[in-house]
Amino acid sequence: MTDQIYLLETNLDDCTGEVLAYCMDQLFAAGAKDVWYTPIFMKKGRPAYALSVMCKEDVKDACVRIIFRETSAIGMRVSLQDRVIMDREAVTVDTPYGPVAAKKLTFDDIEKTTIEFESARELAQKAGVPVREILNQKE
Protein backbone atom coordinates (compact mmCIF):
# COMPACT_ATOMS: atom_id res chain seq x y z
CA MET A 1 0.00 0.00 0.00
CA THR A 2 1.21 3.52 -0.67
CA ASP A 3 0.25 6.85 0.83
CA GLN A 4 1.79 10.24 1.47
CA ILE A 5 3.25 11.64 4.65
CA TYR A 6 4.72 14.97 5.69
CA LEU A 7 8.26 15.18 7.02
CA LEU A 8 8.96 18.19 9.24
CA GLU A 9 12.63 18.84 10.05
CA THR A 10 14.53 21.47 11.99
CA ASN A 11 18.04 21.79 13.41
CA LEU A 12 18.35 22.88 17.04
CA ASP A 13 21.66 23.96 18.55
CA ASP A 14 20.31 25.32 21.82
CA CYS A 15 17.76 22.77 22.99
CA THR A 16 18.25 20.19 25.75
CA GLY A 17 17.44 16.51 25.55
CA GLU A 18 14.79 16.92 28.23
CA VAL A 19 13.02 19.62 26.19
CA LEU A 20 13.19 17.42 23.09
CA ALA A 21 11.74 14.46 25.00
CA TYR A 22 8.85 16.62 26.21
CA CYS A 23 8.31 17.94 22.69
CA MET A 24 8.31 14.35 21.39
CA ASP A 25 5.56 13.43 23.87
CA GLN A 26 3.50 16.42 22.75
CA LEU A 27 3.96 15.56 19.06
CA PHE A 28 2.85 11.94 19.58
CA ALA A 29 -0.16 13.15 21.58
CA ALA A 30 -1.08 15.43 18.65
CA GLY A 31 -1.04 12.47 16.25
CA ALA A 32 2.47 12.38 14.78
CA LYS A 33 3.24 8.98 13.24
CA ASP A 34 6.91 9.05 14.26
CA VAL A 35 9.30 11.48 15.94
CA TRP A 36 13.07 11.25 16.32
CA TYR A 37 16.03 13.47 16.93
CA THR A 38 19.54 12.87 15.71
CA PRO A 39 22.80 14.32 17.07
CA ILE A 40 24.48 16.54 14.48
CA PHE A 41 27.17 19.23 14.29
CA MET A 42 26.36 22.67 12.94
CA LYS A 43 28.51 25.61 11.87
CA LYS A 44 31.46 26.46 14.07
CA GLY A 45 31.40 22.86 15.34
CA ARG A 46 28.35 23.43 17.56
CA PRO A 47 26.70 20.20 18.73
CA ALA A 48 23.00 20.14 17.91
CA TYR A 49 20.01 17.92 17.17
CA ALA A 50 18.04 17.44 13.97
CA LEU A 51 14.39 17.01 14.98
CA SER A 52 12.32 15.00 12.48
CA VAL A 53 8.56 14.43 12.58
CA MET A 54 6.44 12.23 10.28
CA CYS A 55 2.77 13.15 10.25
CA LYS A 56 -0.35 13.10 8.14
CA GLU A 57 -1.80 16.30 6.68
CA ASP A 58 -4.61 16.53 9.26
CA VAL A 59 -2.12 17.04 12.13
CA LYS A 60 0.66 18.86 10.25
CA ASP A 61 -0.30 22.35 11.43
CA ALA A 62 -0.62 21.17 15.04
CA CYS A 63 2.83 19.56 14.85
CA VAL A 64 4.36 22.73 13.38
CA ARG A 65 2.84 24.75 16.24
CA ILE A 66 4.18 22.32 18.85
CA ILE A 67 7.70 22.48 17.40
CA PHE A 68 7.68 26.30 17.40
CA ARG A 69 6.10 26.48 20.88
CA GLU A 70 8.20 23.82 22.63
CA THR A 71 11.65 24.26 21.04
CA SER A 72 14.00 27.03 19.99
CA ALA A 73 13.17 26.41 16.30
CA ILE A 74 12.76 29.50 14.14
CA GLY A 75 12.10 27.64 10.90
CA MET A 76 11.68 24.15 9.50
CA ARG A 77 11.78 22.19 6.30
CA VAL A 78 8.48 20.63 5.21
CA SER A 79 8.30 17.97 2.53
CA LEU A 80 5.54 15.71 1.28
CA GLN A 81 6.84 12.21 0.67
CA ASP A 82 5.51 9.04 -0.86
CA ARG A 83 5.54 6.12 1.54
CA VAL A 84 5.19 2.38 1.01
CA ILE A 85 3.70 0.56 3.99
CA MET A 86 2.60 -2.96 4.77
CA ASP A 87 -1.12 -3.67 5.25
CA ARG A 88 -1.89 -4.11 8.95
CA GLU A 89 -4.46 -6.21 10.77
CA ALA A 90 -4.93 -6.44 14.54
CA VAL A 91 -4.68 -10.06 15.70
CA THR A 92 -4.21 -11.98 18.93
CA VAL A 93 -1.32 -14.40 19.36
CA ASP A 94 -1.73 -17.26 21.84
CA THR A 95 1.37 -17.81 23.97
CA PRO A 96 2.09 -20.27 26.79
CA TYR A 97 1.47 -17.30 29.12
CA GLY A 98 -1.84 -16.20 27.60
CA PRO A 99 -3.06 -14.16 24.63
CA VAL A 100 -1.15 -11.08 23.47
CA ALA A 101 -2.09 -8.33 21.00
CA ALA A 102 -0.18 -8.28 17.72
CA LYS A 103 -0.20 -6.92 14.17
CA LYS A 104 -0.34 -9.14 11.12
CA LEU A 105 1.61 -7.36 8.35
CA THR A 106 1.36 -8.19 4.65
CA PHE A 107 2.84 -6.87 1.43
CA ASP A 108 2.25 -8.90 -1.73
CA ASP A 109 3.42 -12.41 -0.76
CA ILE A 110 5.34 -11.24 2.33
CA GLU A 111 3.66 -11.86 5.69
CA LYS A 112 4.83 -11.37 9.26
CA THR A 113 3.36 -10.93 12.72
CA THR A 114 4.68 -8.44 15.25
CA ILE A 115 3.66 -8.55 18.91
CA GLU A 116 2.63 -5.20 20.41
CA PHE A 117 5.15 -4.19 23.07
CA GLU A 118 2.70 -2.75 25.61
CA SER A 119 0.60 -5.91 25.49
CA ALA A 120 3.76 -8.02 25.85
CA ARG A 121 4.93 -5.96 28.81
CA GLU A 122 1.62 -6.39 30.63
CA LEU A 123 1.60 -10.14 30.01
CA ALA A 124 5.26 -10.50 31.05
CA GLN A 125 4.62 -8.68 34.32
CA LYS A 126 1.52 -10.79 35.00
CA ALA A 127 3.34 -14.05 34.19
CA GLY A 128 6.60 -13.07 35.90
CA VAL A 129 8.74 -13.75 32.83
CA PRO A 130 11.13 -11.53 30.83
CA VAL A 131 9.36 -9.45 28.19
CA ARG A 132 11.60 -10.97 25.51
CA GLU A 133 9.94 -14.34 26.25
CA ILE A 134 6.64 -12.85 25.13
CA LEU A 135 8.08 -10.88 22.20
CA ASN A 136 9.77 -14.00 20.78
CA GLN A 137 6.49 -15.93 20.49
CA LYS A 138 5.21 -16.63 16.97
CA GLU A 139 1.66 -17.08 15.78
Side-chain angles (χ1 to χ4, degrees):
M1 176 167 55
T2 61
D3 70 355
Q4 291 190 313
I5 194 122
Y6 281 91
L7 179 61
L8 314 176
E9 297 179 300
T10 189
N11 296 343
L12 305 165
D13 65 356
D14 56 353
C15 201
T16 67
E18 294 90 350
V19 168
L20 285 169
Y22 180 80
C23 181
M24 178 184 278
D25 290 343
Q26 298 300 306
L27 289 161
F28 278 126
K33 296 291 184 187
D34 204 358
V35 179
W36 66 96
Y37 44 98
T38 308
I40 60 171
F41 288 94
M42 293 178 57
K43 64 184 174 190
K44 300 179 185 176
R46 288 195 303 255
Y49 293 101
L51 174 63
S52 303
V53 180
M54 281 182 15
C55 63
K56 300 298 275 180
E57 183 175 20
D58 62 334
V59 299
K60 178 178 69 80
D61 290 342
C63 289
V64 167
R65 291 183 56 76
I66 290 167
I67 292 168
F68 281 144
R69 184 183 70 225
E70 299 296 343
T71 73
S72 57
I74 59 174
M76 71 187 73
R77 297 169 299 282
V78 179
S79 58
L80 182 61
Q81 300 185 349
D82 292 330
R83 178 172 74 148
V84 178
I85 56 176
M86 297 183 83
D87 289 324
R88 297 168 171 97
E89 176 188 352
V91 296
T92 300
V93 172
D94 291 319
T95 75
Y97 310 104
V100 64
K103 286 185 290 207
K104 182 178 179 181
L105 307 163
T106 57
F107 183 83
D108 292 335
D109 63 337
I110 301 167
E111 186 177 300
K112 54 188 168 183
T113 300
T114 304
I115 292 175
E116 298 286 358
F117 183 80
E118 291 302 320
S119 183
R121 177 171 48 179
E122 289 176 21
L123 186 55
Q125 288 174 341
K126 183 178 172 183
V129 298
V131 71
R132 70 181 179 280
E133 286 287 319
I134 308 297
L135 292 170
N136 288 333
Q137 299 296 311
K138 300 297 177 200
E139 190 170 31

